[in-house]
Amino acid sequence: MKSNLFKIKEGKLDKWFEWGKLLTTKYREEAIETLKEEGLNYEAFCVFKIEEEYYTISMIEGEEKPTNMDRELNQKHKETKKECLEYIGPIEKVYELYNK
C-alpha cells in the first residue's frame, strides 16, 4: 500500500468532503472504472485534525498505471485535489499485520 500526506487548504475542508461524497455516490461506478484502468484495487482518503489544521492521507493499493486524463472525472479529481490539498510527502509504512 502506498500512502501520501496532504494538508487541507484553509476553507476547503467542506469542499473536500463534498468531493468524497460525490465519488462514493454520483460518480461511484465511473470512479471504480478508473481504478480498474489504473490497475488499482483500493483507494481511500482519511481526514484528521492536528490542533487547528486538517490533513488527509491518501492510500492506494495496486499496479499504479498512468491515469487516463481524457476522462472528465479524472480531470475534475485532479482539479479538486489541486484546489483543496497541499502535498506534504509520502508516508512510510512501519509495519502492517493481517489476521486472515
Side-chain angles (χ1 to χ4, degrees):
M1 184 174 300
K2 180 179 173 183
S3 298
N4 287 295
L5 179 63
F6 300 85
K7 181 178 178 184
I8 299 176
K9 294 177 182 177
E10 190 171 331
K12 297 299 180 178
L13 181 64
D14 289 342
K15 180 160 187 161
W16 185 241
F17 271 108
E18 179 184 320
W19 180 241
K21 185 175 181 178
L22 286 170
L23 285 173
T24 58
T25 57
K26 181 179 180 180
Y27 300 123
R28 181 177 182 79
E29 289 181 31
E30 185 178 0
I32 290 171
E33 283 301 312
T34 67
L35 290 181
K36 291 175 185 176
E37 289 176 355
E38 296 168 15
L40 300 177
N41 53 34
Y42 179 80
E43 178 177 281
F45 276 83
C46 298
V47 172
F48 63 97
K49 183 178 180 182
I50 298 176
E51 295 179 5
E52 298 304 313
E53 306 284 350
Y54 287 91
Y55 298 85
T56 187
I57 295 174
S58 69
M59 296 170 284
I60 61 170
E61 191 170 72
E63 192 177 335
E64 290 188 72
K65 296 177 186 175
T67 301
N68 176 1
M69 293 311 295
D70 290 334
R71 270 191 187 267
E72 188 176 330
L73 183 63
N74 289 339
Q75 294 170 15
K76 179 67 175 164
H77 187 57
K78 183 177 179 178
E79 290 169 11
T80 305
K81 284 174 58 179
K82 184 177 181 179
E83 179 182 345
C84 297
L85 307 179
E86 176 185 325
Y87 178 74
I88 295 178
I91 296 174
E92 291 189 45
K93 186 186 321 177
V94 176
Y95 70 88
E96 183 173 42
L97 301 171
Y98 287 96
N99 180 16
K100 292 185 179 184

